[in-house]
Amino acid sequence: MRKLANVEEFNTLAATESVVFMFTAGWCPDCRVIDPIMPDVEAKFSGYTFVSVDRDEFIDLCIEKDIYGIPSFLAYKDGSEVGRFVSKDRKTQDEIESFITNLSA
């Protein structure tokens, strides 16, 4: 999963690609639990670009996008937000895959 470099990259990706942003942090134990499953998720949903967003590096972006719990997911397609899976709760692989599947429903 690629790592977000700056806010400009976020805006460009959100405007031009089908993208799923995963908001995370190095200190977040629930984020570390899902890290090993994310390559499988990315492989199943190859039509999306997956981007890791470090909550501590991009706190202003998190505030702007109402991301107050991690791990959380925010999806864009054709310049519009198409879904969000935002909470402070631990996510399972099935929950993450269901969220992404429902983006194209």
Side-chain angles (χ1 to χ4, degrees):
M1 181 179 304
R2 73 194 264 185
K3 190 174 182 318
L4 185 69
N6 52 52
V7 174
E8 292 76 23
E9 181 185 30
F10 179 94
N11 293 330
T12 299
L13 290 170
T16 61
E17 294 192 30
S18 295
V19 60
V20 176
F21 295 100
M22 178 179 144
F23 291 82
T24 185
W27 51 263
C28 169
D30 291 340
C31 301
R32 299 295 67 82
V33 166
I34 64 172
D35 280 346
I37 64 167
M38 289 310 296
D40 289 341
V41 172
E42 289 180 76
K44 286 182 183 176
F45 298 96
S46 59
Y48 288 93
T49 300
F50 288 82
V51 180
S52 175
V53 181
D54 187 300
R55 172 225 177 260
D56 294 336
E57 278 184 57
F58 296 100
I59 191 70
D60 291 339
L61 179 63
C62 290
I63 292 167
E64 176 187 330
K65 300 298 178 186
D66 293 323
I67 308 291
Y68 292 106
I70 54 173
S72 287
F73 297 85
L74 191 56
Y76 284 83
K77 189 172 188 176
D78 300 324
S80 297
E81 181 182 321
V82 293
R84 57 177 45 230
F85 187 15
V86 176
S87 71
K88 62 179 177 46
D89 300 326
R90 180 176 290 179
K91 278 86 174 158
T92 66
Q93 184 168 352
D94 286 343
E95 290 172 328
I96 296 165
E97 290 179 1
S98 176
F99 162 70
I100 299 169
T101 297
N102 289 328
L103 294 175
S104 27

